[in-house]
Amino acid sequence: MPSAATAVTLASKCTIFPFKQSSFSDLKLSVSDLPMLSVHYIQKGCLFTYPPFPIAHLISLLKLSLSQTLAQFPPLAGQFVTDLNGYVYISCNDVGVDFVHASATHIFIRDVIGSVDVPDHVKEFFPMDRTVSYRGHFSPLLAVQVTELADGVFIGCAVNHSVMDGTSFWNFFNTFAEVSRGVKRMTRQPDFTRNSILISNSVLKLPDDGPKITFVGDAPLRERIFSFSRESIQRLKAKTNNRKLNYEGEINVVELMAKRSIDPLKMKTETETINPTAEISSFQSLCALLWRAVTRARKFPPSKMTTFRMAVNCRHRLQPKLNPLYFGNAIQSIPTYASAGDVLSHDLHWCAEQLNKNVKAHDDATVRKFVEDWEKDPRCFPLGNFDGAMLTMGSSPRFPMYDNDFGWGRPVAVRSGRANKFDGKISAFPGREGGGSVDLEVILSPETMEGLESDPEFMQFVTAY
């Protein structure tokens, strides 16, 4: 049996070209795209049971459907070019993408999802390991790897993060799956327009050899998936909002409404007056729970300032709004600061409220202010945990990760590669059962992870790990 260092064997590698030639002009990188030149390619993928046909047929099918999908996403088959003025573009020149067929037939599905920590061999299910996005000037912007397991297959994608964010990534992945299972009409057409405030005349100056990642890439880390059921999330949200649940786990709206007037206008006014933070979301509640638990586990003095950073989608925050399927990056990172003493001396509601206030305040004016500030000082995004007290939340439980049916069923699990991982990096995935369930991919130092695992407040809401 191969060792962990050689868990995956390369079977073949080739270049896939779009099914038809692109007629697209160059796409200019935006103020949301350019800062990502210093981060790794996105690496996300799905684990499936073994298809009901030979692996050779699957490889042929995926090659053809990838070619057809690229015709709908021409920028992914292109390459970066920097002009004489320093502006970076995607040249939609049809240079193609990498397609890798790999084998790890000694690894079973249970070996991928059954261990406490995410096993190291999962990182080998992805191409373009540790590739920095600036390399899109010389390397493909997309690579797909299909890894054959003993009783399943893993389909992993690596996409340049300066080309797209999570919203665009999963739209591509969903479309790839749709084409593979024979869907003829594309259901979610990407919007490639470049006419918003995100397109700037400012120039990001870079060293001749390109930017480097801003975090330590070889620090000792542990990686775990913590799952939260729909019922657990509802219970957590109710606790955060100081609400009662009925015996079915739902908010007791009858009791809530009985205390208010039946007049709709008056009820709305009273709701806003009595409890202006009534809409603290399930996800903000979960983030607050994690913030408190990790702060406890890190054993900071009360005066230590901590940071919880969340990526927010700006498509609907701008006025006029961007198309929900705008292709590219349309995200901004919102930091929320609080001392360790404040995080731990206040309750869960207080922590969630700090996050809630910042997210609610991130409106059109705030998005534009972020753009203006960047234009005054263009720079790459400083990804990492620079003072040991940061948490960075990425991805989203709203992304349609389990909609990826390539023709023989939904994924068993979603996993990510080694890209952009450091102490305090968290990614949120929808739970496989849906209905508001959430999986958190948590990356922490070994000591902090041990503290998190023994934290009663956090673990009481965890339903699988």
Side-chain angles (χ1 to χ4, degrees), residues 132-153:
V132 177
S133 291
Y134 179 82
R135 297 294 303 171
H137 285 85
F138 322 104
S139 303
L141 299 179
L142 166 69
V144 174
Q145 178 173 320
V146 182
T147 305
E148 180 184 6
L149 309 178
D151 58 349
V153 294

Side-chain angles (χ1 to χ4, degrees), residues 15-18 74 76-79 91-98 139-141:
T15 301
I16 303 295
F17 301 99
L76 292 178
Q79 209 162 28
S91 173
C92 302
N93 56 5
D94 297 331
V95 295
V97 306
D98 283 350
S139 303
L141 299 179

Side-chain angles (χ1 to χ4, degrees), residues 10-314:
L10 176 67
S12 65
K13 181 178 180 180
C14 66
T15 301
I16 303 295
F17 301 99
F19 192 72
K20 61 181 180 181
Q21 189 173 2
S22 170
S23 59
F24 270 47
S25 58
D26 292 352
L27 296 183
K28 189 177 184 181
L29 294 193
S30 74
V31 299
S32 260
D33 300 325
L34 290 165
M36 299 300 181
L37 287 171
S38 64
V39 308
H40 290 144
Y41 276 49
I42 298 171
Q43 291 180 316
K44 294 286 190 296
C46 297
L47 175 67
F48 297 89
T49 58
Y50 208 90
F53 40 78
I55 193 69
H57 175 73
L58 173 65
I59 297 301
S60 296
L61 169 67
L62 293 180
K63 286 180 178 180
L64 176 60
S65 58
L66 178 58
S67 175
Q68 293 171 332
T69 306
L70 289 174
Q72 305 297 324
F73 290 81
L76 292 178
Q79 209 162 28
F80 288 158
V81 293
T82 299
D83 69 13
L84 295 177
N85 296 314
Y87 297 125
V88 184
Y89 296 84
I90 304 172
S91 173
C92 302
N93 56 5
D94 297 331
V95 295
V97 306
D98 283 350
F99 185 94
V100 178
H101 173 204
S103 177
T105 52
H106 61 288
I107 296 176
F108 290 79
I109 287 176
R110 65 173 182 267
D111 300 323
V112 178
I113 63 176
S115 57
V116 175
D117 288 17
V118 176
D120 285 342
H121 56 242
V122 171
K123 298 177 178 65
E124 296 187 54
F125 296 167
F126 296 90
M128 307 194 79
D129 190 37
R130 302 189 191 190
T131 303
V132 177
S133 291
Y134 179 82
R135 297 294 303 171
H137 285 85
F138 322 104
S139 303
L141 299 179
L142 166 69
V144 174
Q145 178 173 320
V146 182
T147 305
E148 180 184 6
L149 309 178
D151 58 349
V153 294
F154 192 94
I155 302 177
C157 284
V159 182
N160 192 294
H161 209 331
S162 283
V163 173
M164 57 166 56
D165 58 13
T167 298
S168 293
F169 176 92
W170 289 109
N171 188 31
F172 159 75
F173 209 120
N174 291 165
T175 304
F176 182 22
E178 282 185 343
V179 173
S180 296
R181 68 174 185 268
V183 175
K184 298 302 182 185
R185 174 174 288 186
M186 192 173 180
T187 59
R188 291 167 60 87
Q189 180 68 45
D191 177 6
F192 297 103
T193 57
R194 287 293 188 270
N195 56 8
S196 76
I197 189 176
L198 299 179
I199 305 303
S200 172
N201 289 324
S202 296
V203 175
L204 174 62
K205 295 181 179 179
L206 298 167
D208 292 340
D209 58 348
K212 305 293 188 294
I213 58 170
T214 54
F215 57 92
V216 179
D218 56 358
L221 298 170
R222 285 184 58 194
E223 177 180 346
R224 290 193 60 170
I225 307 291
F226 293 97
S227 296
F228 301 83
S229 68
R230 175 180 181 269
E231 294 72 23
S232 181
I233 290 291
Q234 285 183 328
R235 192 160 47 90
L236 173 61
K237 183 179 180 181
K239 179 180 178 181
T240 304
N241 287 287
N242 299 315
R243 294 178 180 173
K244 293 181 180 179
L245 296 178
N246 65 21
Y247 64 94
E248 293 181 336
E250 303 288 349
I251 299 295
N252 194 333
V253 293
V254 175
E255 178 182 336
L256 194 66
M257 299 295 281
K259 296 178 181 178
R260 298 175 181 161
S261 166
I262 61 172
D263 179 70
L265 181 60
K266 186 176 180 183
M267 184 174 64
K268 181 177 186 295
T269 305
E270 286 185 358
T271 301
E272 291 172 349
T273 304
I274 294 171
N275 191 1
T277 58
E279 292 305 317
I280 288 179
S281 70
S282 302
F283 187 56
Q284 289 162 5
S285 301
L286 185 56
C287 289
L289 180 74
L290 183 68
W291 191 7
R292 284 170 55 81
V294 172
T295 300
R296 265 192 298 269
R298 285 173 169 170
K299 300 177 181 178
F300 293 134
S303 60
K304 179 69 173 179
M305 187 59 65
T306 71
T307 307
F308 197 105
R309 189 174 282 278
M310 303 175 74
V312 296
N313 186 353
C314 297

Side-chain angles (χ1 to χ4, degrees), residues 228 236 281-296 298 300 304-312 332-340 342-344 348 350-359 362 370 381-397 422-428 438-444 452 458:
F228 301 83
L236 173 61
S281 70
S282 302
F283 187 56
Q284 289 162 5
S285 301
L286 185 56
C287 289
L289 180 74
L290 183 68
W291 191 7
R292 284 170 55 81
V294 172
T295 300
R296 265 192 298 269
R298 285 173 169 170
F300 293 134
K304 179 69 173 179
M305 187 59 65
T306 71
T307 307
F308 197 105
R309 189 174 282 278
M310 303 175 74
V312 296
Q332 290 177 346
S333 182
I334 304 177
T336 300
Y337 305 101
S339 69
D342 280 340
V343 169
L344 299 180
L348 187 64
W350 184 89
C351 287
E353 191 175 31
Q354 309 315 302
L355 300 171
N356 177 268
K357 287 176 181 176
N358 268 355
V359 172
H362 208 84
F370 268 53
F381 183 69
L383 189 64
N385 182 3
F386 305 108
D387 61 359
M390 301 178 74
L391 285 171
T392 299
M393 176 65 74
S395 200
S396 171
F422 51 86
D423 175 27
K425 176 66 187 301
I426 318 296
S427 294
V438 178
D439 287 346
L440 287 185
E441 177 194 79
V442 179
I443 318 295
L444 293 170
L452 182 66
F458 180 77

